[in-house]
Amino acid sequence: MSGPDHPPKTRTRNGCANCRQSRVKCDGKEPSCTRCWQKGWQCTREKLTLKWKSDYHSRGLAFGREGVWGKGTQSKKNSRAISTGEQNWHFNSTVYPWSFVNQDISTLRWLYDEERAPGQSSSVELSMFGLKRDRLGVPEQAPLWYSPPVFPYPQGQKYAIMVEYFIDQVCPRTTSSLKIASPFTSVILPFCLSGSVNGLAALQALAACYWSQSNPAHTSTAVRLKSQVLRELRRMIAADPSYTISPDPEVLVLMMMLSLYDIVDQCDKGWIVHLQGAKDIIRLRRKNLTNETQCPVTAFAELFFAFQDVMGRTACAKADLFGPSFWDQTDRSVNPWMGCSPELVSILFSILDLSRIRPKMDTDLAQEVDFSMRASALNRRLGSLVQVLADPEDRALQAVADLKRLACTVYLHCALYDAEPSTPIVRSLVRRIIEKLSALLQENLIINATWPIFVAAVELDPADGEDWQDPVTGELVCGRALVLRALATMAQSTVTSVARVRSIIETVWQSRDCDLAAGSSRRQSSQHNDWEWYVVPLSDALSLV
């Protein structure tokens, strides 16, 4: 113990060998210390030697002061030599042109450490690391306090809280699975955080726009960030037109985030502009970069736009932009983001193309026979389709995949066979869809089922009575009440404009009710089928993903 009567002991670094061996203090006098001079010993000093940590560990010895230390006592943990068989080798991740060498998504894990004290970080976890969700599939609400991370560029620091909101609230709503991370979490987020300052701003703009739907205070932030991204995108393209067809996926990411922004905001024709621009860029890139290996960011961006194109066309019946080459006719594996298999999308694409031929057919018998044979072939393909899940226990994804297959069958009969709500096959399929929706509502498992709900709703027979049980109240209600409840639930679990979808559905119902009240249909004198008469005129620029 140190004090007035016990001056603190000091150590010397030039003690002699005899004093060191005896573990006593050496006064370090030259040429002989006092203790060696009194005892008549030869006083020698040890030379400085270099000690290597790896040599000590290879012999199972502790190096230096490794171990647990305490006052007056000392204990050391000897590390055990690691045999070759116990070593785990990890392969390096692929480095793409946009990769940030010293940072990837793993460096943000500290933001989501459950044990970190309040005021230091959020208490939520990334979806890719096991994001906690409630039964609806929505992650638990994060606290509003937030300690912003340090980004590799200072521009992202100002709106850092939007990054957390994107991870916590937006990403989980972009997948139909409760068990598989969304590509927006596993692909787009790492790219924006480590490789693109404009991508980060676009990500923050989307998060602010989505947040502003429930909290208008963030509207100005969303508009400001969107304007910044658009301005930078125009500047980059004007400065270097070849940038649009370079291997760098940044321009596609920016256009994808801007499309989602416009879909969430008002779902008007603005997002179609980005879709058409992306189509031209993807076409040029595929033509000029035929030998380039496609990175995951580019692959997902292309999938995003191609899928948006197909699903939107089912409502508006316009010509395709991307073509059938994006869809493998033999791939039955369910994509968690799409909520269905590529083969189902391929069948739907063929139905769309064939439906555009029907109004142009004349009275030629050969054309009618060819059309009928192709429609029957698509019906058989759809009837035999079995979609495969990577995880058979993923009930939410399985439910959405089944709903989309049933909705595709309804659409086939309406688009190719002139079916309407009162047609027995359509009425039966719509009832099955609504029954499944009722079961999902009861379990709070409706995630990204916009298209099946839309198809079933617009083809729901207005004569159906109140014979469905409300999953919440237990009362008998009509199918329309269940559809509206499903839309209200889905508004909390998806990133799309549910308000516009509901508006179109209600307008179709009103039109059908008017025709039913008049006792006749205005469509009888028209060449258009039921879908083309009631749905198509209302659904321009509608996103159903």
Side-chain angles (χ1 to χ4, degrees):
M1 180 179 295
S2 62
D5 299 331
H6 298 277
K9 296 181 179 181
T10 58
R11 296 181 180 181
T12 59
R13 295 184 179 276
N14 58 345
C16 69
N18 294 325
C19 293
R20 285 179 179 273
Q21 186 176 2
S22 301
R23 296 182 180 275
V24 297
K25 183 180 178 181
C26 179
D27 58 14
K29 291 185 177 180
E30 298 287 353
S32 176
C33 70
T34 303
R35 185 166 177 265
C36 290
W37 176 76
Q38 290 175 345
K39 294 183 178 293
W41 295 340
Q42 183 179 2
C43 187
T44 59
R45 303 290 195 276
E46 291 184 352
K47 295 182 178 179
L48 180 65
T49 58
L50 295 178
K51 299 178 181 180
W52 303 101
K53 186 175 182 178
S54 57
D55 293 339
Y56 276 70
H57 285 183
S58 65
R59 290 182 289 164
L61 301 175
F63 178 71
R65 298 179 181 177
E66 287 183 337
V68 180
W69 289 75
K71 289 186 177 181
T73 61
Q74 170 185 349
S75 63
K76 297 183 179 180
K77 293 182 179 179
N78 292 335
S79 57
R80 181 173 56 85
I82 301 176
S83 64
T84 304
E86 295 175 327
Q87 295 178 354
N88 294 322
W89 297 93
H90 299 275
F91 295 100
N92 291 331
S93 302
T94 305
V95 178
Y96 297 99
W98 43 264
S99 296
F100 187 79
V101 177
N102 295 319
Q103 182 178 358
D104 58 14
I105 191 59
S106 63
T107 61
L108 294 181
R109 187 187 290 266
W110 65 272
L111 281 174
Y112 309 94
D113 186 355
E114 291 276 355
E115 299 179 356
R116 189 171 291 273
Q120 291 182 310
S121 70
S122 170
S123 63
V124 295
E125 298 175 348
L126 277 172
S127 296
M128 68 177 71
F129 300 130
L131 182 63
K132 295 183 178 180
R133 301 189 188 186
D134 59 19
R135 295 178 62 197
L136 180 62
V138 180
E140 297 176 351
Q141 284 288 343
L144 296 181
W145 44 259
Y146 178 72
S147 178
V150 178
F151 293 111
Y153 23 78
Q155 294 93 325
Q157 194 73 20
K158 184 177 181 181
Y159 302 107
I161 192 172
M162 294 303 171
V163 177
E164 180 183 6
Y165 190 86
F166 180 83
I167 297 170
D168 180 24
Q169 301 294 329
V170 178
C171 287
R173 291 173 166 85
T174 58
T175 178
S176 302
S177 173
L178 294 178
K179 299 185 176 183
I180 303 175
S182 165
F184 284 92
T185 302
S186 59
V187 177
I188 301 303
L189 178 63
F191 171 77
C192 292
L193 289 178
S194 62
S196 171
V197 60
N198 295 310
L200 178 61
L203 178 153
Q204 292 169 327
L206 174 60
C209 179
Y210 189 79
W211 201 348
S212 68
Q213 305 304 305
S214 57
N215 187 351
H218 299 291
T219 302
S220 59
T221 299
V223 173
R224 188 181 305 112
L225 287 169
K226 178 189 177 184
S227 300
Q228 173 188 330
V229 174
L230 283 172
R231 183 171 58 254
E232 287 299 313
L233 182 59
R234 293 193 187 100
R235 185 190 61 79
M236 289 187 297
I237 294 176
D240 183 12
S242 63
Y243 170 70
T244 57
I245 58 172
S246 68
D248 188 351
E250 183 180 40
V251 64
L252 288 178
V253 171
L254 297 183
M255 298 178 78
M256 177 172 62
M257 304 303 276
L258 290 170
S259 295
L260 276 175
Y261 184 106
D262 290 337
I263 290 171
V264 171
D265 189 20
Q266 295 180 348
C267 198
D268 56 11
K269 294 184 179 181
W271 77 273
I272 297 294
V273 174
H274 300 298
L275 181 71
Q276 294 170 338
K279 180 261 299 186
D280 294 334
I281 291 174
I282 291 171
R283 178 177 55 82
L284 291 173
R285 287 190 175 190
R286 289 196 164 197
K287 179 180 179 180
N288 297 331
L289 305 173
T290 54
N291 297 325
E292 291 286 341
T293 301
Q294 196 176 56
C295 73
V297 179
T298 300
F300 175 67
E302 292 186 358
L303 178 69
F304 172 87
F305 286 113
F307 191 58
Q308 286 279 5
D309 178 43
V310 173
M311 304 311 291
R313 285 176 57 215
T314 61
C316 67
K318 290 187 176 181
D320 68 280
L321 295 177
F322 286 83
S325 62
F326 289 87
W327 314 113
D328 187 350
Q329 299 182 13
T330 61
D331 188 356
R332 296 189 169 187
S333 58
V334 177
N335 181 291
W337 174 72
M338 296 194 303
C340 61
S341 64
E343 183 176 358
L344 179 65
V345 184
S346 173
I347 295 172
L348 184 57
F349 189 96
S350 300
I351 295 172
L352 288 165
D353 276 356
L354 192 58
S355 66
R356 289 177 57 80
I357 297 175
R358 187 189 58 79
K360 301 176 182 178
M361 290 192 310
D362 51 25
T363 57
D364 186 6
L365 181 61
Q367 287 185 342
E368 293 182 359
V369 171
D370 179 67
F371 180 90
S372 179
M373 292 179 62
R374 291 173 63 183
S376 297
L378 289 173
N379 196 13
R380 288 194 300 271
R381 280 184 62 193
L382 191 56
S384 62
L385 175 63
V386 178
Q387 302 184 91
V388 181
L389 274 69
D391 183 1
E393 301 298 322
D394 196 340
R395 293 180 57 248
L397 183 57
Q398 180 69 69
V400 172
D402 291 342
L403 284 172
K404 290 191 175 182
R405 184 180 62 81
L406 290 173
C408 188
T409 308
V410 172
Y411 182 76
L412 180 145
H413 283 275
C414 292
L416 303 184
Y417 293 119
D418 292 343
E420 54 188 28
S422 59
T423 305
I425 182 66
V426 171
R427 187 169 184 174
S428 174
L429 289 169
V430 168
R431 289 186 66 87
R432 287 176 62 187
I433 292 174
I434 293 181
E435 286 170 359
K436 283 182 174 290
L437 284 174
S438 179
L440 292 174
L441 278 171
Q442 194 168 6
E443 299 182 43
N444 287 331
L445 285 178
I446 292 186
I447 303 175
N448 288 349
T450 309
W451 188 66
I453 293 176
F454 179 81
V455 172
V458 296
E459 291 299 328
L460 179 63
D461 190 350
D464 275 352
E466 297 182 353
D467 53 359
W468 274 285
Q469 186 176 26
D470 190 296
V472 178
T473 64
E475 300 176 353
L476 292 179
V477 297
C478 63
R480 291 183 176 181
L482 280 180
V483 168
L484 294 178
R485 185 179 293 279
L487 289 171
T489 303
M490 196 181 61
Q492 306 299 322
S493 63
T494 189
V495 181
T496 190
S497 180
V498 177
R500 181 158 187 237
V501 172
R502 174 170 176 160
S503 174
I504 293 173
I505 290 173
E506 291 177 344
T507 304
V508 171
W509 288 348
Q510 291 169 1
S511 298
R512 292 194 187 280
D513 290 345
C514 288
D515 289 345
L516 189 64
S520 62
S521 175
R522 295 169 294 170
R523 185 176 67 84
Q524 293 177 351
S525 60
S526 172
Q527 297 298 320
H528 299 292
N529 60 31
D530 181 85
W531 187 276
E532 293 168 344
W533 179 263
Y534 287 103
V535 181
V536 171
L538 306 172
S539 306
D540 191 27
L542 178 64
S543 172
L544 292 172
V545 174

